[in-house]
């Protein structure tokens, strides 16, 4: 009789703290979970709940001011908290790998793919030529048809889906016992997402690799994972099989998350999406009772004074809720929105695009990124723009904003007047009329500046306001997007993804634009924040009669 193998990952009573301004801020509180060999476990929750912190703690990649302040983490039976630097590096090289959210940032832009993949094999003492051969074979296993061509390219020469396949190939090259996927499909269109998930399932069966999948996409979790843990404010509030948890949640937070999912075919005139009211508690906020009590429609006095234990519901299900039996009866949050803006058919177009094209010339080759596009958009109207990665959606947005010049001048008109092709040729009024909300607020916002300066500068540049008038306008804009006043002195890195995207929206509306291009504005956000942001867009449109071009892979 042989002993059962140890779990691929065992986390016991884990707490993680960060040293900030002379004090400790605990962001993960007593989390326990286990993943067996070959099992897939999903971890869900809002931005800022601690999901990625747990992942980074598992591979020993916490920031310098972060530390495991309690509990233990064991990968394939080895306790990470007891390993020195060299032992930890050997563990990363043999037992645990991670696929990051943004493959474009995870790959070194200055090195070819072949060089980067060969480095994975170097700790195993494999020579350069043999390493390249193994790299090519690994790329074939992740369904890359021409691996030699890919090995000879730089990351920027590959599509997002191809970059993610390369990252998965590098992660699986060591045949790890545990593979961590941190938002593996964010930013990918629906067809590429399906291909990546199918690939992960196949490789998991082939390698018998355990998976910890972190995602805000509940559909991805339901498709890929057998068990799910729901994290809120650093606390694991519910756990169980994916089938049972999604069909019959037993914690009000899980119920709220599932209600935030938009239903296919739903129209904006059918009312606002469900949201979870309020915000996550601050990391240094003292909480006496349940961490979710302040946002919970079922909360009673015991919830505010006594932390709920992890109630055992049987068959591996747990819930940290005093009233877990009443969770399905959570009252709905229905924010009232003003009447939707109506674009009349008789109105002249705000924007008219006729035969718009853009050709890039690269090393003697011509690439037609946008070809003969014609459309019109009226005030208060929203145009959805969909298509696979590489179909030209973002190039079209850049053409509208004057960031790249079209092939033919006078292809665009704003309120009936020709719109110059480049931004520096446009008048100040034309410049502020068209604004954009980018997909990734981390890249769009200046990390060195506080929120007050980021938005205040936009108000000064676009609206021409200064002094007290600018400050009043700043508060109007930030409160319109429901950005708490306490965030004005913070820098982007101190905010959650949802709050950063609200900053980006406030900056776009600083000069009262007529048309806002929304380029994947919710792709990196969890479902509760997505619904709040989408409701916000509808509200701002109704109040200001602004038009949107909404680019998204999320149908």
């Amino acid at each position: 009789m042989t002993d059962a193998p140890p779990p691929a990952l065992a986390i016991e009573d884990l707490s993680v703290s960060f040293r900030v301004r002379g004090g400790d801020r605990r962001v993960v509180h007593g989390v326990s979970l286990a993943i067996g060999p070959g099992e897939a476990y999903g971890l869900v929750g809002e931005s800022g709940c601690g999901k990625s912190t747990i992942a980074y703690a598992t591979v020993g990649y916490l920031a310098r001011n972060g530390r495991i302040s309690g509990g233990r983490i064991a990968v394939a039976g080895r306790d990470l908290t007891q390993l020195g630097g060299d032992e930890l590096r050997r563990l990363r090289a043999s037992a645990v790998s991670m696929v990051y959210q943004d493959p474009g940032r995870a790959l070194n832009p200055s090195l070819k793919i072949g060089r980067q993949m060969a480095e994975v094999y170097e700790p195993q003492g494999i020579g350069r030529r043999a390493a390249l051969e193994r790299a090519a074979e690994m790329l074939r296993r992740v369904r890359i048809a021409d691996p030699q061509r890919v090995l000879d390219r730089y990351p920027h020469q590959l599509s997002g889906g191809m970059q993610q396949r390369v990252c998965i190939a590098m992660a699986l090259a060591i045949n790890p016992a545990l593979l961590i996927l941190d938002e593996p499909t964010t930013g990918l269109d629906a067809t590429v997402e399906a291909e990546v998930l199918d690939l992960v399932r196949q490789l998991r069966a082939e390698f018998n690799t355990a998976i910890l999948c972190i995602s805000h996409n509940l559909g991805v979790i339901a498709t890929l994972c057998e068990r799910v843990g729901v994290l809120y404010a650093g606390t694991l509030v519910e756990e169980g099989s994916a089938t049972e948890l999604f069909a019959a949640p037993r914690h009000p937070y899980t119920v709220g998350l599932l209600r935030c999912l938009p239903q296919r075919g739903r129209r904006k005139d059918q009312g606002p999406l469900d949201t979870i009211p309020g915000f996550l508690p601050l990391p240094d906020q003292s909480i006496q009772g349940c961490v979710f009590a302040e946002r919970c429609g079922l909360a009673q006095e015991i919830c505010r004074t006594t932390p709920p234990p992890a109630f055992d519901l049987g068959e591996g299900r747990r819930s940290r809720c005093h009233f877990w039996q009443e969770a399905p009866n959570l009252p709905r949050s229905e924010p009232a929105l003003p009447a939707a803006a109506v674009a009349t058919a008789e109105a002249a177009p705000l924007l008219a695009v006729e035969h718009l094209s853009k050709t890039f010339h690269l090393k003697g080759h011509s690439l037609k990124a946008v070809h003969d596009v014609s459309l019109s958009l009226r005030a208060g109207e929203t145009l959805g723009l969909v298509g696979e990665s590489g179909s030209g959606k973002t190039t079209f947005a850049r053409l509208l904003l004057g960031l790249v010049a079209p092939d033919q001048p006078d292809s665009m008109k704003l309120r009936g007047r020709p719109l110059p092709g480049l931004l520096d040729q446009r008048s100040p009024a034309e410049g502020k009329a068209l604004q954009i909300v980018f997909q990734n607020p981390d890249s769009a916002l200046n990390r060195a500046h506080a929120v007050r300066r980021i938005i205040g500068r936009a108000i000064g540049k676009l609206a021409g306001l200064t002094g007290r008038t600018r400050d009043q306008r700043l508060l109007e804009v930030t409160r319109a997007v429901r950005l708490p006043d306490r965030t004005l002195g913070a820098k982007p890195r101190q905010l959650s993804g949802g709050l950063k995207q609200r900053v980006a929206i406030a900056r776009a509306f600083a000069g009262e634009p007529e048309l806002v291009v929304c380029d994947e504005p919710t792709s990196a956000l969890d479902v509760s924040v997505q619904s709040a942001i989408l409701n916000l867009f509808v509200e701002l449109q109704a109040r200001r009669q602004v038009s949107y071009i909404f680019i998204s892979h999320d149908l």
Side-chain angles (χ1 to χ4, degrees):
M1 182 175 179
T2 59
D3 294 334
L9 175 65
I11 296 177
E12 299 175 6
D13 200 27
L14 176 68
S15 295
V16 178
S17 301
F18 288 87
R19 190 75 175 173
V20 179
R21 297 174 183 172
D24 282 341
R25 293 186 180 179
R26 192 167 62 163
V27 298
V28 174
H29 312 264
V31 170
S32 297
L33 60 89
I35 307 175
E39 184 183 20
Y41 186 100
L43 198 58
V44 302
E46 291 177 287
S47 298
C49 279
K51 305 185 300 296
S52 293
T53 298
I54 291 175
Y56 288 128
T58 299
V59 291
Y61 281 151
L62 288 174
R64 291 183 179 180
N65 64 329
R67 66 185 181 91
I68 295 175
S69 53
R72 64 188 292 270
I73 302 174
V75 175
R78 302 187 64 187
D79 188 348
L80 269 69
T81 59
Q82 303 299 319
L83 299 182
D86 291 340
E87 293 175 304
L88 185 58
R89 280 188 288 272
R90 283 194 291 271
L91 185 71
R92 293 190 196 119
S94 61
V96 58
S97 293
M98 188 166 176
V99 176
Y100 297 91
Q101 175 176 345
D102 186 353
R105 297 176 65 183
L107 296 170
N108 190 325
S110 65
L111 297 179
K112 291 184 176 181
I113 298 299
R115 171 75 181 278
Q116 297 188 58
M117 290 199 66
E119 290 181 349
V120 176
Y121 296 98
E122 287 181 2
Q124 304 174 32
I126 299 173
R128 176 61 58 87
R129 177 174 295 182
L132 288 173
E133 291 175 356
R134 291 199 180 189
E137 176 58 29
M138 199 67 223
L139 290 181
R140 290 189 189 94
R141 296 173 85 169
V142 298
R143 304 180 190 174
I144 292 179
D146 190 354
Q148 293 300 332
R149 180 179 62 85
V150 172
L151 289 173
D152 197 43
R153 295 206 167 191
Y154 290 96
H156 72 272
Q157 296 174 304
L158 304 178
S159 68
M162 193 72 76
Q163 289 176 347
Q164 194 66 296
R165 289 171 186 264
V166 169
C167 288
I168 293 173
M170 294 173 67
L172 290 173
I174 62 172
N175 192 14
L178 174 67
L179 176 64
I180 300 174
L181 304 175
D182 189 4
E183 302 285 6
T185 60
T186 294
L188 302 181
D189 60 73
T191 55
V192 178
E193 176 184 290
E195 291 176 359
V196 168
L197 292 178
D198 185 47
L199 171 65
V200 170
R201 283 192 293 268
Q202 176 188 328
L203 294 173
R204 172 191 163 201
E206 181 180 344
F207 290 90
N208 194 35
T209 298
I211 292 176
L212 172 60
C213 183
I214 295 169
S215 181
H216 64 263
N217 189 327
L218 300 184
V220 169
I221 295 294
T223 300
L224 190 63
C225 302
E226 289 92 17
R227 290 193 303 127
V228 179
V230 182
L231 201 66
Y232 180 78
T235 300
L236 198 66
V237 295
E238 186 171 4
E239 186 180 33
S241 74
T243 302
E244 293 183 353
L245 188 142
F246 288 137
R250 286 294 180 261
H251 193 281
Y253 179 58
T254 312
V255 173
L257 282 179
L258 294 174
R259 286 181 181 174
C260 289
L261 289 171
Q263 301 299 314
R264 187 178 297 276
R266 181 190 178 97
R267 303 186 310 273
K268 68 178 181 180
D269 60 4
Q270 293 177 299
L273 297 169
D274 277 292
T275 61
I276 300 176
F279 298 95
L280 281 166
L282 296 173
D284 55 354
Q285 184 175 336
S286 177
I287 299 175
Q288 299 298 320
C290 174
V291 291
F292 189 61
E294 293 303 315
R295 303 175 70 185
C296 181
L298 295 175
Q300 299 184 26
E301 185 60 27
I302 188 176
C303 304
R304 297 182 177 87
T305 58
T306 306
F311 291 97
D312 187 351
L313 312 187
E315 298 182 353
R317 294 207 64 182
R318 295 184 295 166
S319 174
R320 287 186 181 273
C321 177
H322 290 295
F323 304 101
W324 59 268
Q325 294 167 310
E326 302 298 322
N329 301 322
L330 178 73
R332 288 185 176 273
S333 171
E334 296 184 356
L337 296 183
V342 177
T344 59
E346 296 77 14
L350 169 66
L351 175 72
V353 175
E354 298 179 355
H355 308 295
L356 180 66
S357 298
K358 177 59 183 177
T359 306
F360 293 98
H361 302 281
L362 305 169
K363 297 181 180 180
H365 297 281
S366 296
L367 173 63
K368 184 75 75 172
V370 174
H371 179 62
D372 197 25
V373 173
S374 298
L375 57 86
S376 63
L377 187 68
R378 298 185 298 274
E381 190 176 31
T382 300
L383 172 68
L385 199 60
V386 300
E388 293 182 289
S389 298
S391 60
K393 303 186 301 295
T394 298
T395 300
F396 178 75
R398 291 173 177 171
L399 287 166
L400 292 184
L401 293 164
L403 302 180
V404 294
D407 291 345
Q408 298 293 334
D410 301 328
S411 301
M412 299 175 286
K413 292 183 179 179
L414 183 66
R415 293 204 177 278
R417 296 183 179 181
L419 185 66
L422 288 176
L423 182 60
D424 58 7
Q425 299 169 353
R426 298 178 183 179
S427 68
E430 292 169 334
K432 78 173 187 177
L434 277 72
Q435 293 295 309
I436 186 169
V437 178
F438 292 99
Q439 173 178 352
N440 188 353
D442 284 314
S443 300
L445 301 176
N446 191 323
R447 292 174 289 178
H449 294 166
V451 170
R452 186 187 304 277
R453 182 173 178 184
I454 291 171
I455 300 175
R457 183 176 183 274
I459 293 173
K461 291 284 186 180
L462 299 175
L465 302 180
T466 58
R468 182 173 298 177
T469 308
R470 181 186 61 189
D471 294 341
Q472 291 174 345
R473 170 67 180 157
L474 185 145
L475 289 177
E476 290 174 4
V477 170
T478 55
R479 290 171 180 172
V481 301
R482 299 173 190 169
L483 195 66
D485 291 351
R486 60 178 168 79
T487 63
L488 295 180
K491 294 181 179 179
R493 68 173 182 272
Q494 298 171 301
L495 304 179
S496 69
L499 289 177
K500 282 184 283 194
Q501 195 62 295
R502 290 174 189 268
V503 174
I505 295 170
R507 186 180 64 178
F509 277 86
E512 298 188 344
E514 298 178 74
L515 170 63
V516 176
V517 179
C518 306
D519 189 5
E520 302 279 10
T522 62
S523 67
L525 304 178
D526 58 79
V527 290
S528 61
V529 180
Q530 280 185 18
S531 60
I533 293 296
L534 292 174
N535 284 343
L536 176 60
F537 276 124
V538 174
E539 179 182 349
L540 292 171
Q541 184 178 58
R543 290 179 177 175
R544 301 168 186 263
Q545 199 71 6
V546 66
S547 300
Y548 296 130
I549 292 180
F550 205 93
I551 298 172
S552 180
H553 65 264
D554 188 343
L555 302 179

